[in-house]
């Protein structure tokens, strides 16, 4: 068994334990394997271990991997989870199945216009700056209804829910408090948009708290693929 396979097994076990502990069905939580900076060979190891959904932060790096792996593994689901600049939106619209980081109408409109007609609608999540950090992307909770209403009119996008990257917190209780705020915002969105079924929340360090709060998709990189070496790969 490879290290990546072992890590995946361990994380699946942790997801199941966290879900069961708070009375949720582990099936409600999708594991997104964040493969940014990692070579396609490691993605392949994860595929061999049964992983289907992968998250990438850098547009070109993600497109390269998709193009390399797509023909052999057409069942994979590729998620763009990095900050998105307008000039890169076309590549995301053309190659990815999901974009987690929609935080302004201009980007949503571009993704909609650039989504190829022969592909299903691009699944999008609105990114929320839930810890209200000055330098972070994402919108405030109060701004969600307006952006959601605008996205809902765009035929080549499907509004699937919300995403956040909470500010790092050491203890479980503070992690849970922020995640619970996101879960409230998600439930409010779901009341108006039946297509909203995804709360993308939780990384290697705060996964149990995110699941307890109601996350339906955890984004895990380091705990699957090991530490990232930005110096070498970027
Ligand atoms: C890198 C990244 C992750 C994975 O973080 P880990 O701490 O390595 O699990 C999750 N979400 C986003 C948006 C990221 O950029």
């Amino acid at each position: 068994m490879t290290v990546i396979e072992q890590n995946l097994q361990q994380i699946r076990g942790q997801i199941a334990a966290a879900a069961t502990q708070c009375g949720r069905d582990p099936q409600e939580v999708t594991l997104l394997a964040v493969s940014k900076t990692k070579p396609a060979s490691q993605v392949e190891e994860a595929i061999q271990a049964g992983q289907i959904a992968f998250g990438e932060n850098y547009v070109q790096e993600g497109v390269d991997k998709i193009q390399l792996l797509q023909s052999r593994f057409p069942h994979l689901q590729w998620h763009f989870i990095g900050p998105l600049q307008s000039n890169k939106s076309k590549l995301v619209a053309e190659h990815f199945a999901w974009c987690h980081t929609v935080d302004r109408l201009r980007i949503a409109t571009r993704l909609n216009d650039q989504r190829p007609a022969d592909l299903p609608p691009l699944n999008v999540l609105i990114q929320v700056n839930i810890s209200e950090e000055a330098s972070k992307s994402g919108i405030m909770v109060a701004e969600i209804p307006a952006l959601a209403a605008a996205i809902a009119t765009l035929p080549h996008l499907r509004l699937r829910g919300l995403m956040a990257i909470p500010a790092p917190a050491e203890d479980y209780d503070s992690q849970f408090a922020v995640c619970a705020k996101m879960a409230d915002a998600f439930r409010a969105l779901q009341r108006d948009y039946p297509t909203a079924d995804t709360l993308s929340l939780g990384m290697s360090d705060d996964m149990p708290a995110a699941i307890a709060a109601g996350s339906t998709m955890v984004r895990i990189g380091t705990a699957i693929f090991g530490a990232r070496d930005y110096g070498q790969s970027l």
Side-chain angles (χ1 to χ4, degrees):
M1 202 192 286
T2 67
V3 172
I4 288 175
E5 190 175 359
Q6 273 172 19
N7 290 344
L8 276 167
Q9 274 193 10
Q10 193 175 359
I11 289 157
R12 288 179 191 133
Q14 288 166 358
I15 291 173
T20 309
Q21 200 163 35
C22 60
R24 296 184 63 199
D25 180 351
Q27 308 265 30
E28 289 172 20
V29 184
T30 299
L31 171 57
L32 183 65
V34 177
S35 42
K36 65 184 176 205
T37 81
K38 300 297 179 180
S41 58
Q42 293 193 15
V43 174
E44 272 199 56
E45 277 185 39
I47 298 168
Q48 301 305 345
Q51 183 62 29
I52 290 169
F54 291 89
E56 288 285 338
N57 281 61
Y58 310 101
V59 178
Q60 193 56 55
E61 182 194 333
V63 170
D64 288 347
K65 282 179 216 173
I66 292 170
Q67 288 180 328
L68 206 62
L69 297 165
Q70 189 153 260
S71 58
R72 276 187 300 145
F73 307 105
H75 67 291
L76 298 186
Q77 202 182 68
W78 292 95
H79 296 239
F80 184 73
I81 63 171
L84 183 52
Q85 291 156 355
S86 294
N87 62 352
K88 298 279 179 65
S89 62
K90 187 160 186 280
L91 284 170
V92 171
E94 288 176 349
H95 295 280
F96 285 83
W98 289 68
C99 179
H100 289 219
T101 48
V102 174
D103 61 357
R104 55 200 188 276
L105 183 55
R106 178 173 151 75
I107 280 286
T109 306
R110 286 178 67 90
L111 289 170
N112 177 71
D113 295 346
Q114 293 164 337
R115 183 68 169 172
D118 61 331
L119 291 183
L122 180 69
N123 298 295
V124 299
L125 303 178
I126 293 174
Q127 184 174 358
V128 180
N129 183 359
I130 195 65
S131 304
E132 306 192 0
E133 297 170 276
S135 61
K136 287 294 170 65
S137 24
I139 62 174
M140 297 296 143
V141 168
E143 299 171 313
I144 295 172
L147 185 54
I151 291 173
T153 68
L154 301 173
H156 304 295
L157 302 186
R158 184 175 289 139
L159 180 60
R160 296 294 294 269
L162 303 178
M163 176 270 209
I165 309 170
E170 300 281 303
D171 62 297
Y172 180 92
D173 290 344
S174 3
Q175 292 174 352
F176 181 82
V178 179
C179 290
K181 265 171 65 180
M182 271 305 287
D184 284 343
F186 177 55
R187 278 188 292 269
L189 183 76
Q190 284 186 301
R191 281 193 282 274
D192 294 327
Y193 302 96
T195 57
D197 57 4
T198 303
L199 177 58
S200 167
L201 187 65
M203 316 203 328
S204 294
D205 290 334
D206 63 353
M207 190 179 81
I211 291 174
S215 168
T216 72
M217 189 176 284
V218 291
R219 309 178 308 263
I220 307 296
T222 308
I224 297 173
F225 296 106
R228 287 177 289 271
D229 182 353
Y230 285 99
Q232 208 166 50
S233 48
L234 290 177

